[in-house]
Tab-separated table of all heavy atoms in Angstrom:
chain	number	residue	atom	x	y	z
A	334	GLN	N	-0.340	31.034	-21.498
A	334	GLN	CA	-0.069	31.822	-22.686
A	334	GLN	C	1.290	32.566	-22.484
A	334	GLN	O	2.084	32.795	-23.456
A	334	GLN	CB	-1.218	32.753	-22.915
A	334	GLN	CG	-0.880	33.575	-24.250
A	334	GLN	CD	-2.215	34.581	-24.567
A	334	GLN	OE1	-3.200	34.328	-23.979
A	334	GLN	NE2	-2.066	35.320	-25.527
A	335	GLY	N	1.592	33.067	-21.176
A	335	GLY	CA	2.778	33.663	-20.962
A	335	GLY	C	3.923	32.773	-21.052
A	335	GLY	O	5.154	33.220	-21.549
A	336	ILE	N	3.796	31.512	-20.769
A	336	ILE	CA	4.847	30.528	-20.874
A	336	ILE	C	5.135	30.306	-22.286
A	336	ILE	O	6.276	30.230	-22.782
A	336	ILE	CB	4.346	29.127	-20.272
A	336	ILE	CG1	4.261	29.277	-18.703
A	336	ILE	CG2	5.383	28.093	-20.541
A	336	ILE	CD1	3.734	28.046	-18.074
A	337	ALA	N	4.090	30.343	-23.229
A	337	ALA	CA	4.293	30.223	-24.679
A	337	ALA	C	5.009	31.356	-25.204
A	337	ALA	O	5.759	31.211	-26.164
A	337	ALA	CB	2.901	29.928	-25.349
A	338	ASP	N	4.726	32.494	-24.673
A	338	ASP	CA	5.284	33.746	-25.259
A	338	ASP	C	6.659	34.047	-24.614
A	338	ASP	O	7.359	34.858	-25.168
A	338	ASP	CB	4.423	34.957	-24.753
A	338	ASP	CG	3.117	34.950	-25.662
A	338	ASP	OD1	3.009	34.288	-26.546
A	338	ASP	OD2	2.177	35.604	-25.136
A	339	GLY	N	7.052	33.193	-23.625
A	339	GLY	CA	8.412	33.310	-23.161
A	339	GLY	C	8.453	34.339	-21.876
A	339	GLY	O	9.602	34.806	-21.436
A	340	ASP	N	7.330	34.920	-21.481
A	340	ASP	CA	7.366	35.827	-20.401
A	340	ASP	C	7.184	35.212	-19.092
A	340	ASP	O	7.550	35.896	-18.159
A	340	ASP	CB	6.080	36.793	-20.657
A	340	ASP	CG	6.156	37.538	-21.950
A	340	ASP	OD1	7.289	37.758	-22.394
A	340	ASP	OD2	5.053	37.903	-22.453
A	341	VAL	N	6.728	34.110	-18.982
A	341	VAL	CA	6.562	33.287	-17.649
A	341	VAL	C	7.423	32.024	-17.806
A	341	VAL	O	7.612	31.501	-18.718
A	341	VAL	CB	5.077	32.968	-17.482
A	341	VAL	CG1	4.926	32.248	-16.141
A	341	VAL	CG2	4.260	34.212	-17.495
A	342	ALA	N	8.037	31.696	-16.473
A	342	ALA	CA	8.743	30.527	-16.324
A	342	ALA	C	10.041	30.448	-17.230
A	342	ALA	O	10.386	29.442	-17.723
A	342	ALA	CB	7.986	29.315	-16.559
A	343	THR	N	10.568	31.659	-17.283
A	343	THR	CA	11.880	31.768	-18.064
A	343	THR	C	13.028	31.005	-17.509
A	343	THR	O	13.269	31.086	-16.268
A	343	THR	CB	12.357	33.252	-18.220
A	343	THR	OG1	11.196	33.986	-18.803
A	343	THR	CG2	13.506	33.235	-19.085
A	344	GLY	N	13.555	30.143	-18.121
A	344	GLY	CA	14.632	29.316	-17.620
A	344	GLY	C	14.281	27.915	-16.992
A	344	GLY	O	14.988	27.205	-16.510
A	345	VAL	N	12.928	27.751	-16.819
A	345	VAL	CA	12.403	26.540	-16.374
A	345	VAL	C	12.457	25.401	-17.338
A	345	VAL	O	11.996	25.568	-18.454
A	345	VAL	CB	10.955	26.623	-15.839
A	345	VAL	CG1	10.365	25.381	-15.298
A	345	VAL	CG2	10.976	27.797	-14.755
A	346	LYS	N	13.033	24.240	-16.932
A	346	LYS	CA	13.262	23.126	-17.900
A	346	LYS	C	11.937	22.392	-17.853
A	346	LYS	O	11.402	22.049	-16.807
A	346	LYS	CB	14.367	22.309	-17.419
A	346	LYS	CG	14.696	21.111	-18.375
A	346	LYS	CD	15.893	20.365	-18.029
A	346	LYS	CE	16.174	19.193	-18.902
A	346	LYS	NZ	17.444	18.347	-18.449
A	347	GLY	N	11.507	21.947	-19.062
A	347	GLY	CA	10.255	21.131	-19.175
A	347	GLY	C	10.386	19.850	-18.402
A	347	GLY	O	11.454	19.145	-18.381
A	348	PHE	N	9.253	19.296	-17.779
A	348	PHE	CA	9.203	18.195	-17.069
A	348	PHE	C	8.224	17.197	-17.814
A	348	PHE	O	7.160	17.544	-17.988
A	348	PHE	CB	8.686	18.364	-15.573
A	348	PHE	CG	8.637	17.112	-14.710
A	348	PHE	CD1	9.875	16.639	-14.207
A	348	PHE	CD2	7.475	16.504	-14.533
A	348	PHE	CE1	9.844	15.552	-13.380
A	348	PHE	CE2	7.477	15.405	-13.756
A	348	PHE	CZ	8.631	14.834	-13.148
A	349	ASP	N	8.814	16.136	-18.359
A	349	ASP	CA	8.141	15.163	-19.227
A	349	ASP	C	7.188	14.294	-18.441
A	349	ASP	O	7.452	13.524	-17.612
A	349	ASP	CB	9.040	14.285	-19.991
A	349	ASP	CG	8.375	13.351	-20.992
A	349	ASP	OD1	7.170	13.433	-21.087
A	349	ASP	OD2	9.169	12.675	-21.770
A	350	PRO	N	5.771	14.574	-18.572
A	350	PRO	CA	4.776	13.874	-17.805
A	350	PRO	C	4.775	12.411	-18.247
A	350	PRO	O	4.174	11.585	-17.398
A	350	PRO	CB	3.477	14.600	-18.080
A	350	PRO	CG	3.659	15.213	-19.317
A	350	PRO	CD	5.107	15.572	-19.465
A	351	ILE	N	5.126	12.029	-19.519
A	351	ILE	CA	4.914	10.684	-19.964
A	351	ILE	C	6.023	9.809	-19.461
A	351	ILE	O	5.753	8.784	-18.866
A	351	ILE	CB	5.020	10.633	-21.461
A	351	ILE	CG1	3.855	11.419	-22.134
A	351	ILE	CG2	5.023	9.217	-22.123
A	351	ILE	CD1	3.984	11.578	-23.702
A	352	ALA	N	7.258	10.417	-19.406
A	352	ALA	CA	8.435	9.597	-18.878
A	352	ALA	C	8.279	9.419	-17.278
A	352	ALA	O	8.880	8.535	-16.702
A	352	ALA	CB	9.651	10.386	-19.214
A	353	ASN	N	7.492	10.431	-16.730
A	353	ASN	CA	7.442	10.374	-15.209
A	353	ASN	C	6.001	9.840	-14.792
A	353	ASN	O	5.686	10.076	-13.666
A	353	ASN	CB	7.649	11.774	-14.650
A	353	ASN	CG	8.996	12.334	-14.774
A	353	ASN	OD1	9.924	11.935	-14.028
A	353	ASN	ND2	9.314	13.130	-15.882
A	354	ASN	N	5.438	9.018	-15.649
A	354	ASN	CA	4.246	8.249	-15.252
A	354	ASN	C	3.151	9.176	-14.823
A	354	ASN	O	2.444	8.773	-13.897
A	354	ASN	CB	4.612	7.199	-14.201
A	354	ASN	CG	3.723	5.977	-14.215
A	354	ASN	OD1	3.115	5.719	-15.254
A	354	ASN	ND2	3.466	5.440	-13.061
A	355	GLN	N	2.941	10.305	-15.510
A	355	GLN	CA	1.775	11.211	-15.096
A	355	GLN	C	0.763	11.289	-16.205
A	355	GLN	O	-0.401	11.452	-15.985
A	355	GLN	CB	2.190	12.484	-14.885
A	355	GLN	CG	3.111	12.657	-13.619
A	355	GLN	CD	3.464	14.053	-13.200
A	355	GLN	OE1	2.744	14.629	-12.395
A	355	GLN	NE2	4.532	14.651	-13.751
Side-chain angles (χ1 to χ4, degrees):
Q334 185 175 350
I336 292 174
D338 295 338
D340 299 331
V341 180
T343 305
V345 175
K346 184 179 179 180
F348 185 76
D349 188 353
I351 299 175
N353 291 280
N354 203 29
Q355 298 187 90

